[in-house]
Amino acid sequence: MKKQLAALRPVAILIVGSMVMLAVPTSVVVARGLAVGEQARVETAAADALEQKFVDYYRGALDRLEPFGTQIVHDATAWSRSASLLLTDIDVSSLQSTAHAVSGVMHATVSSDATSAELEAAFDSRWAVIQGGRERMDSFTDTLLAAAKKHLDAAAIADSTSRQAVVDAMAALEASAASREGMVASLTALTAAVVAVDASQAAAEAAAAAAAARKGGGGSRGPAVVRRSGEPTCSGSLLSCVNAVRAFYGLGTLSASGSLNASAQSCADILAQPGAPFQHTLPLAPGVRGENIARGYPSEVSVFNAWMGSPGHAANILRASFHSMGLGYASGNNWCQQFG
């Protein structure tokens, strides 16, 4: 029996050894599998953490856009409602559409579980609209400044204080546009300055017209017309507008005069010369009994309305002793109206 067991010993050792050899590769595979799984979990956790960082970043970026969009909506809306005389060259509806576009994108909702890619797309879209709104506000500002410059150029004989006030207010609006702050207040201040310089110019023109009439020596001035509400609206040629308002006050119509047209054209040409002062040329030409001049108004309707808004100029238009009229226009929107 012992001999049989001894004979079997090598066989047993071989079998056990084989089992050990088979067990080693199995444990390695298991270990490697566990390592790969752990690495995948680590990588997934890292990816999730990075995604969350991007989500947080873009949500913060969207929040930081809020004051920029709100400012554009506020400024564009306030400007569209301001009724400033400087808005004549701006389509008010374009201001309103700018405010509407920016307001719409600012109120667009973003899902609470949006991915970073979705948030990035929302940010890019919102920023593009805000940037477009900024560019349109810059364009509107340039148009307003150009309009103010026209008034300033037309107010050549306004007092220096009112002219400087317009210059300062224009600079303030430019500064506000650059900083994106105080744009509504700056437009209000510029509008007030322009109104003041227009009034100063009208007063100076009225004084000059009165002086021209006195030095021109042209007959009785007659009783002054007392203005009242309900004057007809000017919508045609300047002569037709003059005669319509004269008829409203029971005055005779003025006829077009070839000689006065030629004289008035010569007057306008002088005003349009480079560096020419904005003033009446005295003494007035023979046969000219009164004269109105203006600069900066783009049409016969606009210059008529300006003259009727000035007591001295309106007095010439409504003078009963006048019977004829001539009109001259030259480049730079220089106007001369003469009466006989």
Side-chain angles (χ1 to χ4, degrees):
M1 186 67 175
K2 288 182 179 181
K3 289 181 178 181
Q4 291 175 339
L5 290 174
L8 291 173
R9 182 184 178 92
V11 177
I13 291 171
L14 179 62
I15 293 172
V16 171
S18 297
M19 292 177 64
V20 172
M21 291 177 65
L22 289 173
V24 171
T26 301
S27 64
V28 170
V29 170
V30 171
R32 286 180 178 176
L34 292 173
V36 170
E38 181 61 24
Q39 182 178 357
R41 284 192 295 272
V42 170
E43 290 176 353
T44 299
D48 290 344
L50 184 60
E51 168 68 4
Q52 188 59 50
K53 285 184 178 181
F54 279 119
V55 166
D56 293 342
Y57 170 80
Y58 281 112
R59 285 199 178 278
L62 285 168
D63 290 340
R64 288 190 291 275
L65 288 181
E66 186 72 25
F68 299 115
T70 300
Q71 189 67 51
I72 294 172
V73 173
H74 172 265
D75 292 342
T77 301
W79 279 14
S80 71
R81 297 174 179 173
S82 69
S84 169
L85 78 168
L86 299 175
L87 291 174
T88 53
D89 293 333
I90 293 178
D91 181 3
V92 174
S93 65
S94 63
L95 280 167
Q96 296 168 339
S97 64
T98 297
H100 180 74
V102 176
S103 177
V105 76
M106 294 304 296
H107 287 91
T109 57
V110 179
S111 173
S112 60
D113 58 353
T115 65
S116 62
E118 292 170 335
L119 290 169
E120 180 182 10
F123 173 85
D124 291 343
S125 174
R126 190 168 297 185
W127 174 243
V129 174
I130 289 175
Q131 187 64 16
R134 282 183 158 190
E135 291 171 357
R136 284 190 290 276
M137 291 301 292
D138 288 342
S139 177
F140 294 144
T141 300
D142 290 341
T143 303
L144 292 171
L145 291 171
K149 182 67 164 52
K150 286 182 181 179
H151 282 265
L152 186 61
D153 290 343
I157 58 174
D159 67 85
S160 59
T161 301
S162 62
R163 286 178 56 82
Q164 186 59 46
V166 174
V167 173
D168 293 343
M170 289 173 65
L173 180 58
E174 285 185 293
S176 292
S179 66
R180 312 289 178 183
E181 296 178 353
M183 295 177 69
V184 175
S186 292
L187 175 59
T188 300
L190 179 57
T191 301
V194 167
V195 169
V197 82
D198 284 352
S200 176
Q201 175 71 12
E205 289 179 1
R214 288 193 299 271
K215 293 182 179 181
S220 171
R221 299 174 66 85
V225 171
V226 178
R227 304 280 295 277
R228 65 178 186 271
S229 62
E231 290 180 357
T233 301
C234 177
S235 59
S237 69
L238 192 140
L239 180 59
S240 67
C241 294
V242 166
N243 283 329
V245 75
R246 285 176 67 88
F248 178 76
Y249 287 107
L251 302 173
T253 58
L254 301 184
S255 60
S257 166
S259 61
L260 287 177
N261 278 335
S263 177
Q265 186 58 53
S266 176
C267 165
D269 290 339
I270 292 173
L271 291 174
Q273 292 176 2
F278 184 73
Q279 62 186 29
H280 295 276
T281 301
L282 300 176
L284 298 177
V288 178
R289 302 170 61 196
E291 180 180 271
N292 288 339
I293 59 175
R295 176 181 289 163
Y297 298 95
S299 67
E300 293 189 23
V301 171
S302 63
V303 76
F304 171 81
N305 290 334
W307 279 332
M308 288 304 294
S310 165
H313 297 85
N316 274 340
I317 291 172
L318 299 175
R319 188 155 294 150
S321 60
F322 292 162
H323 304 288
S324 57
M325 189 197 91
L327 180 67
Y329 171 81
S331 62
N333 291 330
N334 287 282
W335 299 87
C336 187
Q337 179 186 37
Q338 294 184 340
F339 303 91

